[in-house]
Amino acid sequence: MTNVAVINYGPKSDYAAMLPELACRLHVFSHHELANTESFAHYEYVPDCEFVPYPELRIRQLAEEQPFTHLITDNEYDLERAARIREDLKIPGQSSGSALSFRDKAVMKEVARRTVPTAEFARLETIVDLTDFIAAHAYPVVVKPVKQGGSRDISVLRGAEDLLEFSRRHWREDLMVEEFVEGPMYHVDAVLAPGYRFVASSRYVRSCLGVFSGQNNGSIQLHPEDPFAQRLEEFFDRVLEAFDTPEVSAYHLEVFHTPDDELVLCEIASRVGGDRIPALTRLTYGVDLHGSWLRQSCGLPVDPPPAAAPAQVHGSLSILPQGRPVRAPQRPPFPWVRHYEVNDRLAPGEVAQNSTSFLCFVIVGGRDLAEVEQRLLQAETWLMEHLEEVPTS
């Protein structure tokens, strides 16, 4: 009998709606308190779930009573833990080696460079490793943790002053350095399974690192018939040729397009893309990335991806926290705005903590990337002009 363990991250995940056939056989351990959990076989909200071993211990204990047939997680930071449990309990799915190759950015680049270009990189044990790399490859360079996401804790060193400032910070044992790659960044989002293939390409509006200098950001979908979208899909396939991939998986690939017209791998993750990517995908293609991935991971059927090209593509743009007390305005007054949302949980005066931080965000539709980009920039201008200062006592 099917029996499913779930380590959940998404605060709005509705597994009863996503997996109704299995709701009474779900054992869910969640980072956030979820609604609609009454039908589950087992449900626990676990504070700091990502950092404590409790979910793993309880899953192993429950498996002694009734073995699990599937173990799923929507959290990148739980992929290795989930893979380890699967291997120990003989549950099919992504292996530990595969999970590590998608999680550790140094391992990832070592694997990927078999089939595609990557920036030069090195692990860092001491500051001398960093200075040696700079001597060999010159500034600018990017220093980042090998298993972090959302542009967290990334530093771009453009010269000796940046290096000195970086040397004042607490040293971490999980750092790597890589060459800075010029050019816009694109992302490819996919769900692959036997008999199922969905792949969509998008371009970030601005650099993901721009949030730390106050730049708003988001992404814009390419029309699937755009030749560059097809080129990105071919690059994605070449990347995966280098990896040990599970039978069913979701992927989020980030790739640079250099001034020399070369595609260079930034990163690839074996999970659904974050931020507004799932919402944009639903609007354009009617595909639920999480639902499609998790249902097929549990052996459940899904509707095939659309065969016809979409009538519109979509884009999103997030207005950053401003670092001062401001209130987001009402919905922008444009007919092509498809969705607008304000972050009610944001503290007054907060600054951007990572690339997903936002005060508010807007989703717009249009015929192609160019029209969507023009509309996003128009909406951004309107939103920035209508931010309301909040009086402080």
Side-chain angles (χ1 to χ4, degrees), residues 307-385:
Q312 281 197 330
V313 292
H314 294 83
S316 71
L317 189 135
S318 296
I319 303 299
L320 291 180
Q322 299 297 296
R324 66 184 197 278
V326 294
R327 184 180 296 113
Q330 298 299 311
R331 182 187 179 105
F334 307 116
W336 29 260
V337 170
R338 298 295 305 275
H339 182 78
Y340 177 64
E341 189 169 317
V342 174
N343 185 358
D344 294 324
R345 300 182 302 278
L346 191 70
E350 190 168 318
V351 298
Q353 302 297 317
N354 54 66
S355 62
T356 65
S357 301
F358 73 100
L359 172 67
C360 57
F361 73 87
V362 63
I363 294 178
V364 311
R367 293 186 304 270
D368 52 26
L369 184 149
E371 183 171 71
V372 172
E373 182 170 34
Q374 180 272 322
R375 289 175 172 178
L376 278 179
L377 296 178
Q378 185 177 348
E380 178 186 33
T381 298
W382 188 92
L383 288 167
M384 294 300 292
E385 290 176 348

Side-chain angles (χ1 to χ4, degrees), residues 7 43 62 69 168 189 222 315 385:
I7 304 177
Y43 165 73
L62 290 168
T69 56
R168 295 179 181 274
D189 298 277
L222 278 67
E385 290 176 348

Side-chain angles (χ1 to χ4, degrees), residues 75-368:
N75 183 26
E76 179 174 1
Y77 298 96
D78 279 316
L79 290 177
E80 289 181 271
R81 174 162 65 172
R84 180 176 64 247
I85 300 170
R86 284 195 206 97
E87 289 181 341
D88 290 349
L89 301 183
K90 305 297 188 293
I91 302 170
Q94 186 175 39
S95 69
S96 293
S98 173
L100 176 67
S101 69
F102 286 102
R103 285 282 297 121
D104 185 305
K105 301 179 198 309
V107 175
M108 176 193 304
K109 286 182 165 58
E110 196 66 50
V111 172
R113 70 192 325 177
R114 301 170 190 167
T115 57
V116 297
T118 73
E120 290 297 321
F121 67 95
R123 289 188 184 270
L124 299 177
E125 293 186 10
T126 71
I127 193 70
V128 176
D129 296 324
L130 177 55
T131 56
D132 285 350
F133 186 91
I134 293 169
H137 300 283
Y139 291 107
V141 298
V142 180
V143 181
K144 59 187 176 183
V146 296
K147 292 187 179 182
Q148 193 58 276
S151 298
R152 295 171 178 87
D153 303 322
I154 292 181
S155 299
V156 179
L157 310 183
R158 300 184 181 276
E161 288 300 318
D162 289 341
L163 175 62
L164 282 173
E165 181 61 31
F166 179 78
S167 73
R168 295 179 181 274
R169 302 179 191 176
H170 287 199
W171 186 260
R172 298 177 55 143
E173 302 300 324
D174 60 345
L175 293 176
M176 66 177 290
V177 59
E178 62 186 25
E179 293 177 307
F180 184 90
V181 180
E182 297 285 353
M185 183 185 287
Y186 292 78
H187 59 90
V188 179
D189 298 277
V191 175
L192 303 181
Y196 185 96
R197 178 183 175 90
F198 173 79
V199 182
S201 298
S202 306
R203 194 197 79 204
Y204 287 113
V205 178
R206 302 184 180 101
S207 166
C208 294
L209 300 180
V211 297
F212 301 114
S213 59
Q215 290 185 327
N216 302 317
N217 200 14
S219 62
I220 309 168
Q221 296 172 322
L222 278 67
H223 196 280
E225 295 176 347
D226 184 326
F228 198 73
Q230 297 168 20
R231 183 178 168 189
L232 288 167
E233 184 169 347
E234 291 168 1
F235 183 87
F236 166 72
D237 288 336
R238 293 211 316 277
V239 172
L240 287 190
E241 287 173 7
F243 286 81
D244 171 23
T245 57
E247 188 175 54
V248 178
S249 191
Y251 299 98
H252 176 66
L253 166 73
E254 294 182 332
V255 53
F256 297 105
H257 183 212
T258 72
D260 296 329
D261 193 32
E262 184 179 32
L263 297 181
V264 176
L265 174 76
C266 175
E267 298 174 4
I268 184 170
S270 57
R271 44 87 176 164
V272 171
D275 206 21
R276 277 10 111 196
I277 292 169
L280 297 177
T281 305
R282 281 193 299 272
L283 282 170
T284 299
Y285 299 100
V287 171
D288 179 349
L289 291 173
H290 283 102
S292 177
W293 171 33
L294 297 179
R295 284 185 62 82
Q296 293 183 93
S297 296
C298 294
L300 297 176
V302 298
D303 292 333
Q312 281 197 330
V313 292
H314 294 83
S316 71
L317 189 135
S318 296
I319 303 299
L320 291 180
Q322 299 297 296
R324 66 184 197 278
V326 294
R327 184 180 296 113
Q330 298 299 311
R331 182 187 179 105
F334 307 116
W336 29 260
V337 170
R338 298 295 305 275
H339 182 78
Y340 177 64
E341 189 169 317
V342 174
N343 185 358
D344 294 324
R345 300 182 302 278
L346 191 70
E350 190 168 318
V351 298
Q353 302 297 317
N354 54 66
S355 62
T356 65
S357 301
F358 73 100
L359 172 67
C360 57
F361 73 87
V362 63
I363 294 178
V364 311
R367 293 186 304 270
D368 52 26

